């Protein structure tokens, strides 16, 4: 049985990944295998709406990536997180989400 606290796969443009339950520090990684496009990480709000993850020096900039990247993010308990590939020219993204094993129930 697959863990709800980690996930991986491959997606193309205008596609989202499976969502993963995250707690504590989480590693989010995506690798652009081919083509071009944009990638954002999202979390599901308490109202059921998916929202982009913000960051930057002031915490108010949407974290949009156009190439391979890996970031570590801290979430409270049981945040649902996914990746979103958009506006590209035949991109193929390999993605991984790994929640810190010490924070899993």
């Amino acid at each position: 049985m697959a863990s709800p606290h980690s996930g991986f796969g491959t997606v193309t443009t205008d596609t989202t990944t499976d969502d993963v339950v995250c707690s504590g520090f989480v590693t989010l990684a995506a690798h652009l295998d081919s083509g071009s496009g944009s990638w954002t990480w999202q979390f599901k709000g308490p109202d059921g709406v998916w929202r982009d993850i913000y960051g930057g020096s002031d915490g108010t900039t949407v974290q949009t990536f156009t190439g391979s990247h890996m970031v570590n993010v801290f979430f409270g308990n049981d945040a649902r997180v996914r990746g979103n590939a958009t506006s590209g020219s035949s991109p193929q993204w390999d993605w991984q989400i790994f929640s810190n094993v010490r924070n899993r129930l």
Side-chain angles (χ1 to χ4, degrees), residues 65-84:
F65 302 92
T66 56
S68 300
H69 62 278
M70 181 175 71
V71 295
N72 292 309
V73 182
F74 186 85
F75 293 101
N77 288 333
D78 298 334
R80 294 210 170 262
V81 178
R82 73 179 184 184
N84 183 36

Side-chain angles (χ1 to χ4, degrees), residues 3-104:
S3 170
H5 301 285
S6 64
F8 61 92
T10 300
V11 297
T12 57
T13 194
D14 298 328
T15 306
T16 58
T17 69
D18 296 332
D19 61 303
V20 174
V21 178
C22 297
S23 296
F25 279 103
V26 177
T27 300
L28 308 173
H31 174 74
L32 182 61
D33 281 333
S34 62
S36 64
S38 297
W39 184 275
T40 54
W41 293 103
Q42 301 176 323
F43 71 96
K44 191 172 190 176
D47 57 359
V49 175
W50 286 97
R51 293 181 171 83
D52 293 330
I53 293 176
Y54 285 70
S57 62
D58 60 3
T60 61
T61 305
V62 173
Q63 298 297 282
T64 302
F65 302 92
T66 56
S68 300
H69 62 278
M70 181 175 71
V71 295
N72 292 309
V73 182
F74 186 85
F75 293 101
N77 288 333
D78 298 334
R80 294 210 170 262
V81 178
R82 73 179 184 184
N84 183 36
T86 57
S87 59
S89 175
S90 302
Q92 180 174 321
W93 293 91
D94 292 329
W95 64 276
Q96 297 177 327
I97 300 174
F98 292 101
S99 185
N100 184 331
V101 70
R102 292 181 188 167
N103 297 322
R104 298 178 192 171

